[in-house]
Amino acid sequence: KEVESLSATETLSHCARMPGPNGHRRALLAVTRSDAVESVLETHNEAGLQVADVVPAGVALLNTYSRFLNGRPGAAMLVDLARDTTDVAVVSGSSLLFSRSLSFGADALLGVDTPGTSLDAWSKEIQSFLALYRSRFQGPEHEVSSAIVSGGGAAVQGLTSNLASVLGLEVRLMEDLPIRQGERDVAFFASAVGLALAGLGEGPVESSLLPAPLKEKQMLRGQIRYWVLSAVAAVLAMTFLIMRSH
């Protein structure tokens, strides 16, 4: 199969089951370019870091929302503005409905290294995302009631007011929402917190874009400790039996 003119060998995908409303089931399909994942793996390998998993940004944001903000009525649009990217996701309860990553972030808005992207242009990209979402998810139960902005770039002056004007929605900073006092930094590190929750297996959805050979390697690495413990236990048991026989 092909996705947006890319062959199956050029993409990585994963399909996960999610709970839906009224007992219905939903399937979450995550797709990315293989070379994008390879670039991430190469960067971490050069830094001497072992990659445990590759989790879609939308799933990471869902994890953070579900852990700290779940219970808000209706669907919400999460906008996480990092240095080089903007990740946007529409979530409802414990389900991720729609997600995309935009290839510019706070540096582009601030004009770092390159001519700046205007707030209007950035907000209109979010507007296009929302229009695409609405074309696929219709009905009052899917209507987005608000937008929540997180990430270090959320502090860009005039960002929330501009986005609210373009979208015609209530736009709030995640840090201004009722998060417990000791967890205020979650708003600045929403994606990182969501990745940590995924690593701990505490997210509502499990979605991984780690290439199959690396998944198998991870599984074997995790099983080695049990093999070692089993061997030690067997040796101790044999030693005990021998001592008893004497």
Side-chain angles (χ1 to χ4, degrees):
K1 295 182 179 180
E2 294 188 356
V3 179
E4 295 183 357
S5 302
L6 295 174
S7 68
T9 58
E10 296 175 302
T11 60
L12 290 169
S13 62
H14 182 264
C15 189
R17 290 184 294 179
M18 294 189 304
N22 303 319
H24 295 164
R25 292 183 179 179
R26 285 178 172 151
L28 171 65
L29 176 63
V31 182
T32 190
R33 296 178 63 103
S34 300
D35 54 3
V37 173
E38 289 170 3
S39 176
V40 170
L41 296 175
E42 182 178 351
T43 300
H44 285 75
N45 288 335
E46 290 175 353
L49 299 174
Q50 178 184 317
V51 176
D53 205 352
V54 178
V55 178
V59 172
L61 291 177
L62 171 67
N63 291 346
T64 300
Y65 178 86
S66 299
R67 180 67 172 264
F68 298 98
L69 295 170
N70 202 352
R72 293 174 61 85
M77 182 167 65
L78 310 180
V79 182
D80 190 67
L81 182 57
R83 177 181 175 183
D84 299 318
T85 59
T86 302
D87 295 306
V88 194
V90 176
V91 301
S92 178
S94 298
S95 294
L96 174 63
L97 302 182
F98 202 61
S99 175
R100 274 198 170 180
S101 292
L102 308 179
S103 58
F104 56 86
D107 275 6
L109 295 179
L110 297 172
V112 178
D113 297 329
T114 59
T117 299
S118 70
L119 275 177
D120 280 339
W122 178 82
S123 295
K124 286 177 180 176
E125 286 288 338
I126 308 298
Q127 184 184 43
S128 297
F129 166 89
L130 184 58
L132 186 59
Y133 163 77
R134 285 172 170 166
S135 70
R136 287 162 169 73
F137 292 84
Q138 300 176 3
E141 70 277 13
H142 293 134
E143 185 57 37
V144 173
S145 57
S146 62
I148 302 171
V149 184
S150 62
V156 172
Q157 187 173 4
L159 184 141
T160 54
S161 58
N162 185 280
L163 187 59
S165 175
V166 171
L167 298 181
L169 290 175
E170 176 193 22
V171 178
R172 300 186 64 183
L173 294 175
M174 185 179 287
E175 63 178 305
D176 293 336
L177 297 176
I179 300 175
R180 286 176 291 185
Q181 186 64 32
E183 299 166 343
R184 304 302 301 175
D185 287 344
V186 166
F188 298 98
F189 303 103
S191 290
V193 170
L195 291 174
L197 290 170
L200 293 170
E202 295 185 5
V205 179
E206 293 185 10
S207 182
S208 172
L209 291 171
L210 194 67
L214 289 181
K215 283 184 182 179
E216 294 173 2
K217 188 176 180 180
Q218 293 282 29
M219 290 178 60
L220 289 174
R221 185 181 291 114
Q223 291 172 357
I224 286 175
R225 71 184 69 178
Y226 299 108
W227 295 342
V228 171
L229 290 174
S230 297
V232 170
V235 170
L236 290 175
M238 290 179 64
T239 302
F240 176 74
L241 292 173
I242 292 172
M243 291 178 64
R244 286 194 62 182
S245 65
H246 289 284

